[in-house]
Amino acid sequence: MKLQLWRNATLLLNIDGISILVDPMLGEKGSRGKMPMTDSELLNPLVDLPFNKEELNEKLKSVDAVAVTHLHPDHWDAAAIELLDKNIPVICPAIISEQIAGQGFTNIIAVNNDPVQFRNIEISTTKGQHGTGEIGEKMGIVNGFVFKTDNKSVYIAGDTIWYDEIAQEIAQHQPQHIIVAGGAATFSIGDPIIMTSEDILKVCEYAPESTVWVTHLEAVSHCTEDRKFIKEKINENGLEKRCLVLDNGEEAELKF
């Protein structure tokens, strides 16, 4: 298996030659504008994709399916809706399937409580908690995915903080690789809505046999922890060999 971070939560996961694009945010730098519920004047996304338009179009032609964890625009933006082939398989939680269908996509694989099969890959949804209190309620329902084939398992946690349900998902699925959204994104009110560095350390502690990959960094303006800060925390705890922070465009081999 191979994993490539494009930007933010946008990943290309290659499983036995099958390419799945996860949470595509494909718009140009600044195309989303200012982040609501913050004081930041920065325009989002903060950075461009690590390849030009022509290269992006070529990459999209080789994608076999798209997986969408939730519909916040840093995971599923207007550019993705425009650029993606409307016949491409879109794997998503059942709760958002009608909205995606309403955007013109015709080949939707809705995942509810039971796993679904896409070619030789078993796909399950997982629970998440996108913040706490009032802000957590505003952020709505979010999910992650587990992709399994043979004895290989990859868990994409999605936009969630660390809480008891994440531990339960890890215990149930026993993933060898866990991909988390770091950056401690925070609005003007409330606590972080995705994992802080302390949350990431908890994932590592709870899953000592897993490799943890950190994404969702330095691409949207409400994130408060950058790559340098998170790497320092990882190194301070001696986890640098199994907790890895990806750069935009970086491709990694997932070892099992």
Side-chain angles (χ1 to χ4, degrees):
M1 290 191 194
K2 291 182 180 180
L3 173 70
Q4 184 183 38
L5 174 64
W6 287 13
R7 175 184 58 187
N8 199 52
T10 306
L11 301 162
L12 188 65
L13 182 63
N14 188 289
I15 303 173
D16 295 342
I18 300 167
S19 292
I20 300 175
L21 181 62
V22 181
D23 282 352
M25 176 176 65
L26 304 182
E28 295 181 0
K29 178 181 176 181
S31 59
R32 271 203 60 211
K34 298 176 185 179
M35 184 66 65
M37 295 191 294
T38 72
D39 298 324
S40 175
E41 296 295 314
L42 297 174
L43 302 182
N44 295 274
L46 302 179
V47 294
D48 272 317
L49 289 164
F51 27 75
N52 62 36
K53 288 183 180 179
E54 291 75 18
E55 291 169 326
L56 172 61
N57 288 330
E58 285 303 309
K59 285 180 174 291
L60 293 179
K61 290 176 185 177
S62 65
V63 170
D64 296 300
V66 177
V68 182
T69 60
H70 66 298
L71 296 178
H72 290 168
D74 63 327
H75 293 251
W76 179 249
D77 68 352
I81 295 167
E82 178 184 351
L83 292 172
L84 290 167
D85 186 330
K86 295 300 183 293
N87 296 315
I88 195 168
V90 179
I91 303 156
C92 65
I95 194 171
I96 62 174
S97 61
E98 288 188 10
Q99 288 169 272
I100 294 175
Q103 294 163 339
F105 291 88
T106 62
N107 189 3
I108 296 173
I109 302 171
V111 191
N112 209 333
N113 297 322
D114 297 320
V116 301
Q117 200 78 17
F118 178 71
R119 301 190 186 178
N120 65 323
I121 306 167
E122 181 185 281
I123 304 169
S124 304
T125 55
T126 60
K127 294 180 181 179
Q129 184 174 319
H130 206 354
T132 59
E134 181 183 350
I135 195 69
E137 291 182 10
K138 285 182 180 293
M139 299 310 289
I141 295 173
V142 293
N143 295 93
F145 290 110
V146 174
F147 299 92
K148 292 182 181 178
T149 178
D150 300 324
N151 294 317
K152 304 171 185 177
S153 178
V154 178
Y155 170 29
I156 298 178
D159 273 13
T160 183
I161 59 174
W162 171 266
Y163 74 121
D164 288 346
E165 194 70 44
I166 303 300
Q168 293 174 29
E169 299 287 5
I170 293 170
Q172 177 183 346
H173 295 287
Q174 295 292 304
Q176 292 102 328
H177 293 273
I178 303 171
I179 301 167
V180 301
T186 309
F187 291 108
S188 299
I189 59 169
D191 296 324
I193 59 171
I194 54 177
M195 290 196 185
T196 64
S197 54
E198 293 302 316
D199 286 342
I200 295 167
L201 296 178
K202 289 175 183 176
V203 174
C204 294
E205 180 182 4
Y206 193 82
E209 302 300 319
S210 301
T211 302
V212 177
W213 304 86
V214 185
T215 66
H216 211 294
L217 302 175
E218 301 176 12
V220 285
S221 60
H222 58 329
C223 284
T224 61
E225 296 181 357
D226 61 13
R227 285 182 171 90
K228 181 176 182 291
F229 179 85
I230 293 171
K231 286 179 180 179
E232 288 174 353
K233 293 295 183 181
I234 290 168
N235 293 342
E236 286 171 9
N237 288 271
L239 293 167
E240 59 273 15
K241 290 185 178 179
R242 67 178 190 89
C243 186
L244 305 168
V245 178
L246 289 167
D247 292 322
N248 294 346
E250 183 177 356
E251 187 174 64
E253 187 83 31
L254 302 187
K255 298 179 180 178
F256 295 87

